[in-house]
Amino acid sequence: MADKRKYVIPGDVITSGPFRPEQNVVLEGNNIIATAVGISEIYEDSVKVIPLTGKYIPKINDLVIGKVISHTSLSWELDVNSCYVGFLPAQDVFGRDFSTHADELSSKLKTGDLVAARIANFDRTRDPLVTISDRDLGKIDDGILVKISPSKVPRLIGKKGSMIQMIEMATNAAVTIGQNGWVVISCETDEGLLKAKKAVEMVNEKAHIANLTDLIKDMLDGKDES
Amino acid sequence: MGGRDATMVLLDENGIRCDGRKIDEPRRIMIKAGGLKNADGSAYIEFGDNKILVGVFGPRDVHPKHMSDTDTGILRVRYHMEPFSVGERKRPAPSRREIEISKVIKEALEPAVMLEKFPRTAVDVFIEVLQADGGTRCAALTAASVALADAGIPMRDMVAAIASGKVADTIILDVNNEEDQAGQADMPVGYMPSLKKITLLQLDGVLTPEEYKKCVDVGVKGCEVVYELQKKALHDKYFGNKGD
């Protein structure tokens, strides 16, 4: 499917012809041009570039890890490692009968708390609206935060989750990956926690290496024996 | 900056310039992408004796807030020369010249950067000239474009830049400090190589229409050489110089 993979930088012509431009490409005349440093992939009818660098741009339905930076009487603001702040309305937590008099926002989420959230709505006119009222979402009580580059999140997940499953199996840790490049790792043993952290950091540093899966596997296994 | 030396031969009878280059030969150029940990993107360029470091932040929140634009992101560029970058200590405060170059570089980058993707944000480009030897605006623009690509800011194309000029009635490529001071014309050209569009064109001096056309052509050709080096710098950092 994605047979024609190429390393591209902004301005490189990937192909020309009747293709649909997707992520990080633009149509200029008849040519499809890359707009980011990355790897281009040509599918049957579309072209995209997987970026190797760049900030996180919110997308609807993305799972993100956010950090509460402040709150007003009506909403929280979350740092989601993007150029925009996540907007979490109080109704999302307290329900429809939320009242500014009866409910105190800091009783549920304090500044500095980590939350797993989903981008509920985002368009270019407003800051992204996030929600935590869903299964698996909400305040994160334990675990450590590891920050990686958002462009390397797909590599950490791997094909159909292969990479992350391997790390979780080998270390017995629970890893929550936010699309924004923030990863929370929690584990019952300190040893597993450190190992999982090391694996995640290794993916971040060596994302461009082809046989990364084997490398990580060796690292995880090597530690098991010693 | 260097004083005028009336006795200096800018171009000898063999077509060799004061620093030993041929008329269409650029200086030695070295570009490195990345290098600054705290900036979102960075680049370092050595362009002959010019040494310039560029750091890019963003897209990020705009401060002061009133500068933000709800339709598009904004680009802010600061070109600054270090006090030790020239022969005699330069006062560190932004001079008229630096403010102008900041504006010129900003306008040369704007056609390439897709700011409309990030409304209400700013992209900040900080250019520090560590050592200057003529043609810093071109070198700075070249490096800024690499730093923006390194920061992952969407761009329609890279911007490469080099100066062409006229010395001893001959059109030359890549004007150095002496040629700039004593030469007849200096024309910095910024160019988007894939889109084949010029984003920066200044001219200091007098040229005939024919010379003007030739000067632009020489500049554009030079930009294509610079572009290959920009490409190499990014490939070196991201693909381990495997190339295509």
Side-chain angles (χ1 to χ4, degrees):
Chain A
M1 195 165 62
D3 51 338
K4 278 181 147 179
R5 288 178 133 217
K6 253 195 329 189
Y7 295 121
V8 291
I9 64 165
D12 281 357
V13 176
I14 300 166
T15 182
S16 55
F19 288 100
R20 184 159 38 89
E22 282 192 357
Q23 297 159 34
N24 300 305
V25 292
V26 282
L27 192 65
E28 245 352 296
N30 200 28
N31 292 333
I32 292 176
I33 287 178
T35 64
V37 180
I39 300 161
S40 69
E41 287 190 345
I42 302 174
Y43 295 89
E44 274 155 33
D45 58 346
S46 64
V47 180
K48 70 172 183 182
V49 168
I50 301 162
L52 289 175
T53 168
K55 276 223 164 154
Y56 171 66
I57 309 297
K59 247 188 16 250
I60 292 174
N61 270 333
D62 271 2
L63 175 73
V64 295
I65 310 284
K67 192 184 228 167
V68 180
I69 43 177
S70 72
H71 68 84
T72 64
S73 55
L74 294 167
S75 67
W76 287 275
E77 280 184 349
L78 305 183
D79 178 3
V80 290
N81 189 31
S82 174
C83 43
Y84 303 106
V85 290
F87 182 79
L88 177 63
Q91 279 94 334
D92 200 76
V93 176
F94 292 100
R96 288 277 294 281
D97 55 350
F98 163 74
S99 105
T100 42
H101 310 292
D103 299 310
E104 173 57 37
L105 270 77
S106 54
S107 66
K108 292 273 183 186
L109 289 171
K110 289 196 297 292
T111 301
D113 282 351
L114 285 178
V115 286
R118 198 173 289 284
I119 308 283
N121 200 357
F122 175 60
D123 61 53
R124 42 183 291 132
T125 59
R126 249 166 295 177
D127 281 340
L129 183 73
V130 300
T131 172
I132 59 168
S133 57
D134 204 347
R135 212 160 53 83
D136 301 333
L137 300 181
K139 189 174 166 191
I140 297 167
D141 294 310
D142 60 337
I144 51 166
L145 178 68
V146 182
K147 295 178 180 179
I148 67 166
S149 157
S151 50
K152 283 160 191 161
V153 167
R155 197 78 168 112
L156 178 59
I157 294 168
K159 283 202 182 78
K160 290 182 186 144
S162 59
M163 179 76 81
I164 196 61
Q165 271 169 21
M166 187 180 79
I167 296 172
E168 283 187 324
M169 298 274 265
T171 60
N172 247 330
V175 184
T176 314
I177 307 172
Q179 289 294 325
N180 56 344
W182 285 5
V183 179
V184 171
I185 307 168
S186 59
C187 186
E188 280 169 10
T189 62
D190 287 351
E191 197 193 336
L193 186 76
L194 286 173
K195 205 184 281 177
K197 183 175 179 228
K198 199 173 163 197
V200 169
E201 280 167 350
M202 203 160 138
V203 174
N204 188 36
E205 279 159 31
K206 301 186 174 159
H208 54 282
I209 294 175
N211 58 347
L212 183 67
T213 317
D214 299 339
L215 234 83
I216 301 284
K217 201 172 163 62
D218 287 351
M219 197 274 282
L220 292 168
D221 292 350
K223 279 288 165 68
D224 276 340
E225 285 153 21
S226 63
Chain B
M1 286 183 223
R4 281 170 192 236
D5 184 357
T7 59
M8 190 167 56
V9 181
L10 286 174
L11 193 69
D12 71 11
E13 54 281 3
N14 302 321
I16 300 296
R17 285 148 71 178
C18 58
D19 55 359
R21 285 184 289 148
K22 296 194 199 89
I23 54 166
D24 59 348
E25 186 183 342
R27 286 172 278 185
R28 189 190 64 88
I29 306 168
M30 190 282 284
I31 310 174
K32 186 173 172 281
L36 300 179
K37 177 177 136 286
N38 294 335
D40 292 326
S42 57
Y44 173 69
I45 187 167
E46 282 183 15
F47 203 107
D49 284 334
N50 292 304
K51 293 184 180 174
I52 299 170
L53 194 56
V54 181
V56 169
F57 289 94
R60 63 177 180 180
D61 263 6
V62 189
H63 283 288
K65 272 257 156 69
H66 69 81
M67 279 177 79
S68 71
D69 190 330
T70 47
D71 291 332
T72 179
I74 58 169
L75 185 66
R76 293 186 293 198
V77 175
R78 188 185 81 142
Y79 167 98
H80 181 245
M81 285 172 91
E82 296 297 332
F84 49 80
S85 63
V86 283
E88 196 163 319
R89 182 188 127 95
K90 188 207 146 282
R91 288 163 150 270
S95 62
R96 180 198 57 75
R97 179 179 167 276
E98 283 169 292
I99 294 164
E100 181 208 314
I101 294 180
S102 302
K103 174 182 177 290
V104 160
I105 292 177
K106 177 186 145 213
E107 288 171 2
L109 288 170
E110 265 172 346
V113 183
M114 301 166 82
L115 290 163
E116 66 278 4
K117 284 202 173 186
F118 309 101
R120 294 172 288 119
T121 63
V123 173
D124 290 311
V125 179
F126 296 99
I127 300 165
E128 291 295 331
V129 178
L130 307 178
Q131 185 170 291
D133 185 47
T136 53
R137 74 188 69 196
C138 292
L141 177 55
T142 304
S145 156
V146 174
L148 284 167
D150 182 41
I153 290 157
M155 289 198 290
R156 272 172 270 265
D157 200 351
M158 301 293 286
V159 182
I162 200 161
S164 53
K166 183 180 164 195
V167 153
D169 298 320
T170 316
I171 303 297
I172 54 155
L173 179 66
D174 193 9
V175 181
N176 69 20
N177 198 28
E178 287 76 28
E179 289 164 339
D180 183 26
Q181 302 286 322
Q184 292 157 296
D186 172 29
M187 179 193 267
V189 181
Y191 182 67
M192 297 196 282
S194 303
L195 301 179
K196 301 195 189 309
K197 280 179 182 157
I198 289 174
T199 67
L200 166 74
L201 190 74
Q202 291 183 296
L203 174 60
D204 178 12
V206 181
L207 294 175
T208 64
E210 290 73 36
E211 284 173 338
Y212 175 85
K213 281 192 194 113
K214 185 161 182 223
C215 222
V216 174
D217 286 347
V218 167
V220 165
K221 281 210 190 78
C223 287
E224 270 157 13
V225 175
V226 174
Y227 172 61
E228 290 304 316
L229 293 160
Q230 289 181 314
K231 221 175 174 172
K232 186 174 166 291
L234 288 169
H235 275 266
D236 278 353
K237 179 174 177 196
Y238 287 99
F239 316 125
N241 202 22
K242 275 171 285 183
D244 272 343

